[in-house]
Amino acid sequence: MTTPIIRTEQSQPTDSCHPSKMRERWRTMTPEQRERADETRAKQERLVLQAITYSESFYFEGDWLHLVGGRAEEFSQKILPLNQFGLAALLLQDIDLRNRSTATLHQLVDRLERREGDVLYDAGSPFRGFECGPKKITIAGAGPGAGKTAMAMQFVFQLLENDPKVRVFLANAETDFEKLLEREITRRSGVPARAIRFADLTDEQFNEIKAAADQIEPLCKRIESMQPPFTLDSLEKQCGEDPGLLVLDYLQKFSPGDDPRLGTNTVMAELRHMASQGWGVLALSSTTRAKSKNGTGHDAANLSMASFKESGEIEFNADAAYLVKNHGPVDQDDPYVDRVVLDCVKNRHGVCQKHELIFDKPRMAFERPLVGDASPFEEFADWSESAFA
């Protein structure tokens, strides 16, 4: 349904609304009439701009401006009584309908009056305040084996538990969904990953797995997993129109063409488009293989923004960027539990902070350090009250 709200006279103005006639009428007005006309014009301009903003779309048909959907009917009733002195004709000649700056300002003030602020996904501890939410692109980078996929999937399942409305689209070009479920069952049940992998289970362990699967089942109904081919065209076709959280693992795998820089730029442009449609994007990224101090391996403790592969494209397009830095075992006697720093190296909307986590590799779980554990980052002790929260 469309609602014609204003006679634009854009094609051939009638004599009464012709600019020359309007100027002549203006000269004959009394000061009180001019003041009243100015007030009417200002009010009408404000309402027209708001009407365009709050309607789904608008178009011209002959001399009429039509609004489609949204709050079109409401605004038409406010605007029509103001069509005095032929002001509508000059109004739409003066307003560039493609420039919505003023309307955007009004929309911002209206939103703040309703106390509607920015939104971050709530996945609970240890992710409170993690800069990831609707209409945002968040990049998380790490070296091989640092646990970036495990962290992303823990974030996903905890988010699904905390938010019954969110849906998740998983675009994992490296690991099939069954393997991801194995890891989540390991995290929830405590049954060793190796035992699950080879089905070398006791009856008690299988019962624990069944209990974990029962917890996961309702969450899986809101997860869609991408199927091959893992390309940008296929991603756009498969993810659907209802926006939710998109998890891309990992970003460079979706890069088209032979030029890594141009390919990454293409991926980031597509992610930006999806974010503008309401998607929250969590994209995992590989990092460059800088050597450690002893000249061997991957220096997982000293990553920086430049460590992202094709870091320029990521830096310019991401709303937030994190690096997962592995600082080695918590206890030298247990090489499988690492101290990890989640380092925010870019935050377009706030401050960058570092937070320390514990990565329990056998359980595929990230946790906060126990109270009383030494932490080199003072702000971690105030995680829940940080600038993120």
Side-chain angles (χ1 to χ4, degrees), residues 59-81:
Y59 67 93
F60 292 103
E61 184 179 44
D63 293 338
W64 291 91
L65 166 67
H66 289 252
L67 299 181
V68 182
R71 296 167 61 183
E73 183 65 30
E74 172 190 341
F75 278 101
S76 70
Q77 298 305 315
K78 295 179 180 179
I79 294 172
L80 284 174

Side-chain angles (χ1 to χ4, degrees), residues 13-50:
T14 62
D15 286 344
S16 63
C17 290
H18 194 280
S20 62
K21 295 290 185 180
M22 287 296 300
R23 285 191 290 272
E24 181 180 334
R25 293 178 62 188
W26 181 264
R27 284 194 294 269
T28 63
M29 288 181 183
T30 66
E32 292 77 12
Q33 287 175 324
R34 290 182 180 181
E35 183 178 356
R36 191 163 62 252
D38 283 339
E39 291 175 354
T40 301
R41 183 186 182 91
K43 185 175 182 181
Q44 192 179 49
E45 177 176 348
R46 185 166 59 253
L47 286 171
V48 170
L49 287 170
Q50 289 178 338

Side-chain angles (χ1 to χ4, degrees), residues 118-123 127-140 152 155-156 159 244-247 279-283 319-322 347 349 388:
D118 208 357
V119 176
L120 298 179
Y121 291 129
D122 178 13
F127 302 110
R128 287 195 180 93
F130 184 61
E131 280 284 333
C132 183
K135 298 186 177 183
K136 297 178 182 63
I137 299 176
T138 303
I139 308 294
F155 179 83
V156 163
L159 171 61
L245 170 63
L246 166 65
V247 179
W279 285 88
V281 178
L282 175 57
D319 292 294
Y322 289 85
N347 185 357
H349 308 292
F388 286 115

